[in-house]
Amino acid sequence: GVTVDKLSSTDVLEVWGHLAHDNVSDEIVDRIYRRIVFEGMGLIVLHSAHLSKIFRRLMGTTCRLKWREAGELERVWVISPGHPIADGLNEYFEIEHSEMYGEPFDIPPPDQLIFISWFKGGEVFRSGCCFYRGMGKIFYFSPGHETYPIYYDPNVRRVIYNAILWAKPIKRATPVFGRVEPLEKI
């Protein structure tokens, strides 16, 4: 399980799940939320974890989308080639057999959009989205169905590796809150 000790020593948490998202206790979701927003832990949300409790809470929406499982071609376009998550990638990469996720995707506008996917059936999808919440960074990446060997694809692995490096906490000065003396003579 997600203990307080494990969570406090985690820099970046990856979440993937296909079913039973609502079986995660609200207490665990609260712990994860606090680590992200107040302490800067990164969160990588993979594929169907768009319906995880923590992602829905951080987005403030249902996070629903269109989908179809037909094993069709997915072309992932890199639309922010200068972003660290896209480092080492070409203009696009293809996944031969994928589950289609399509718009509309009920999320707020991403702070940065890194990838857009096109599917052979004609749909498009915001497949790589960055969000900032408090001190934390969140990256949603849609490729990764449980039936297809998508996580063995070298481009997908590169994206996840880069995303972990991007999402890790940044060392920051501790802010001072409350009553303070003036910096200059008044």
Side-chain angles (χ1 to χ4, degrees):
V2 179
T3 65
V4 174
D5 287 342
K6 282 183 186 177
L7 200 55
S8 67
S9 64
T10 300
D11 286 337
V12 178
L13 179 66
E14 288 184 7
V15 179
W16 182 93
H18 180 63
L19 299 169
H21 295 296
D22 287 331
N23 291 348
V24 177
S25 77
D26 291 338
E27 180 185 349
I28 289 173
V29 173
D30 289 343
R31 283 185 202 157
I32 294 169
Y33 181 86
R34 286 192 302 272
R35 278 283 290 137
I36 293 166
V37 173
F38 299 119
E39 299 175 32
M41 181 179 75
L43 179 68
I44 310 298
V45 180
L46 298 173
H47 190 58
S48 56
H50 67 277
L51 290 177
S52 65
K53 278 184 172 182
I54 186 59
F55 191 61
R56 287 183 288 152
R57 181 168 176 190
L58 288 161
M59 297 300 107
T61 63
T62 68
C63 299
R64 293 188 172 276
L65 48 80
K66 289 183 193 176
W67 64 276
R68 173 178 59 248
E69 189 175 343
E72 64 196 272
L73 175 72
E74 176 179 2
R75 182 172 297 137
V76 181
W77 287 95
V78 179
I79 63 164
S80 296
H83 194 280
I85 293 176
D87 185 49
L89 298 173
N90 292 323
E91 183 179 27
Y92 67 88
F93 61 91
E94 294 182 342
I95 299 168
E96 186 176 351
H97 301 289
S98 191
E99 178 180 26
M100 185 282 294
Y101 277 4
E103 298 292 338
F105 184 17
D106 184 25
I107 57 172
D111 294 308
Q112 294 171 297
L113 184 58
I114 313 304
F115 305 111
I116 293 178
S117 288
W118 168 87
F119 294 86
K120 190 169 185 180
E123 290 83 6
V124 295
F125 188 69
R126 292 170 287 165
S127 55
C129 305
C130 296
F131 301 93
Y132 298 90
R133 295 293 184 269
M135 293 180 66
K137 292 184 270 183
I138 299 122
F139 179 63
Y140 172 73
F141 187 56
S142 64
H145 191 261
E146 69 279 359
T147 305
Y148 309 114
I150 294 169
Y151 290 124
Y152 293 99
D153 181 282
N155 292 300
V156 170
R157 294 170 77 93
R158 163 76 72 168
V159 168
I160 294 169
Y161 174 79
N162 290 347
I164 291 167
L165 296 178
W166 171 82
K168 69 182 180 179
I170 297 170
K171 301 294 181 200
R172 301 176 180 164
T174 304
V176 177
F177 297 106
R179 182 175 166 76
V180 298
E181 294 300 319
L183 295 175
E184 306 292 334
K185 186 175 180 174
I186 298 176

